[in-house]
Amino acid sequence: MRDAEYDLIQLEMTQEGLAVVTLNRPDVHNAFNAELIAELTDAFKSIADQRTIRMMILRGNGQSFSAGADLNWMKLAAEVHTQSDNERDAMNLAEMLRALYEMPQMTLALVRGAAMGGGAGLVAACDVAVAMKDTKFRFSEVRLGLTPATISPFVIEAIGARTARALFVTAETFDADYAEKIGLVQYVVEDEKAMLAMEEHLANLVFSAAPGAIADAKELVRDVAGVFIDREVSHETSRRIAARRASDEGKEGVTAFLEKRKPGWNR
């Protein structure tokens, strides 16, 4: 499978069904600008459309995952852009994060160095995140007279409203252990070797699961989270599991289990 060509990111896709997106602005700690956001949006949508891809890994080249917004981009926004220009830029960032959040494949963030502002938003929008122990996180927008508006839906879903409010208003720097405690990341590792081992472990889990079931499970969480549990919800969740049981994947999975063999999607 041919890798796509971009200027500020790298996209690698394997025949086995793995896509790796790498932020590639190491000289500025992979900070966001309009071009990087556009390239990430294109990559996420491209991967989402390829059902042979079963897992997407997001990482950053160099010392940091992402330091958030590029200083020159912020200066342009403050000194040159009109209100309409700024709304368009913000909408592009929001849509990039939503494209990541809605991908049908399992998405994994591998985080090291720093994940600040929008960089932490990327982490929150992924399904699973693994952070190196010395990684630093911060929602620093209020220090600049701004708010973390576009990333807020993803962060609040990941860590809850109370914790998000505390971190948003204080702009406090926190470490990977605290990020794990609040649910921003799921795993903390000591070094590169441990990061690779965790990456392989999670990939093995994903490639043992049915890709359509993963996509449906992600959609299920989006649709059910925060909803009052009434008869309508019970009916809808019953309908969904019934559809899964009748699906080709459901039939193959149950049959493989009964026959004590691996299902066809297990690699």
Side-chain angles (χ1 to χ4, degrees):
M1 189 174 294
R2 188 174 66 85
D3 298 337
E5 293 183 3
Y6 295 97
D7 293 324
L8 302 182
I9 67 172
Q10 297 168 346
L11 172 57
E12 305 166 74
M13 292 181 284
T14 71
Q15 293 288 351
E16 291 73 29
L18 176 66
V20 181
V21 176
T22 306
L23 309 179
N24 193 31
R25 302 187 74 205
D27 53 321
V28 291
H29 295 273
N30 298 313
F32 290 0
N33 62 12
E35 185 179 359
L36 178 65
I37 290 167
E39 291 189 2
L40 284 173
T41 303
D42 185 79
F44 295 152
K45 290 183 176 180
S46 176
I47 294 167
D49 288 340
Q50 298 187 52
R51 295 310 168 96
T52 57
I53 298 296
R54 297 173 59 177
M55 178 179 180
M56 191 277 291
I57 293 173
L58 180 63
R59 63 189 184 189
N61 271 339
Q63 296 180 344
S64 297
F65 179 73
S66 175
D70 181 273
L71 293 177
N72 290 327
W73 186 46
M74 287 195 293
K75 182 177 180 181
L76 188 68
E79 298 179 359
V80 178
H81 281 180
T82 64
Q83 173 79 10
S84 178
D85 292 333
N86 279 313
E87 286 185 12
R88 184 182 64 251
D89 267 2
M91 187 62 180
N92 288 340
L93 174 57
E95 287 295 286
M96 179 271 284
L97 291 167
R98 189 162 66 88
L100 170 59
Y101 177 76
E102 293 183 348
M103 289 176 69
Q105 297 90 352
M106 185 274 207
T107 57
L108 169 63
L110 300 179
V111 192
R112 57 181 295 173
M116 307 292 186
L122 281 175
V123 176
C126 286
D127 300 324
V128 181
V130 181
M132 204 85 74
K133 193 171 184 64
D134 61 356
T135 305
K136 300 301 180 186
F137 300 82
R138 184 171 65 238
F139 302 104
S140 50
E141 287 82 356
V142 294
R143 295 187 183 183
L144 305 173
L146 307 174
T147 61
T150 50
I151 67 173
S152 62
F154 311 99
V155 175
I156 291 169
E157 181 180 284
I159 69 175
R162 179 73 168 119
T163 302
R165 185 164 72 230
L167 294 173
F168 285 178
V169 302
T170 61
E172 182 179 8
T173 302
F174 55 99
D175 62 16
D177 287 333
Y178 188 73
E180 182 184 29
K181 178 180 178 180
I182 63 177
L184 185 58
V185 307
Q186 284 67 48
Y187 304 96
V188 176
V189 295
E190 292 288 339
D191 52 29
E192 290 284 355
K193 183 178 179 181
M195 178 80 84
L196 179 59
M198 182 58 70
E199 176 187 338
E200 292 177 350
H201 168 68
L202 293 169
N204 287 334
L205 293 177
V206 171
F207 282 90
S208 297
I214 286 178
D216 283 356
K218 292 179 63 167
E219 185 178 13
L220 178 67
V221 174
R222 289 196 296 269
D223 292 346
V224 172
V227 175
F228 180 73
I229 304 172
D230 56 13
R231 186 174 179 80
E232 183 178 347
V233 170
S234 296
H235 181 269
E236 176 59 20
T237 53
S238 298
R239 184 196 65 78
R240 292 191 186 199
I241 187 57
R244 270 279 120 201
R245 288 170 179 167
S247 70
D248 290 341
E249 284 186 347
K251 292 176 181 177
E252 166 64 6
V254 172
T255 300
F257 176 77
L258 294 174
E259 294 177 352
K260 294 182 172 55
R261 63 172 174 82
K262 290 182 178 181
W265 60 74
N266 194 319
R267 299 179 184 175

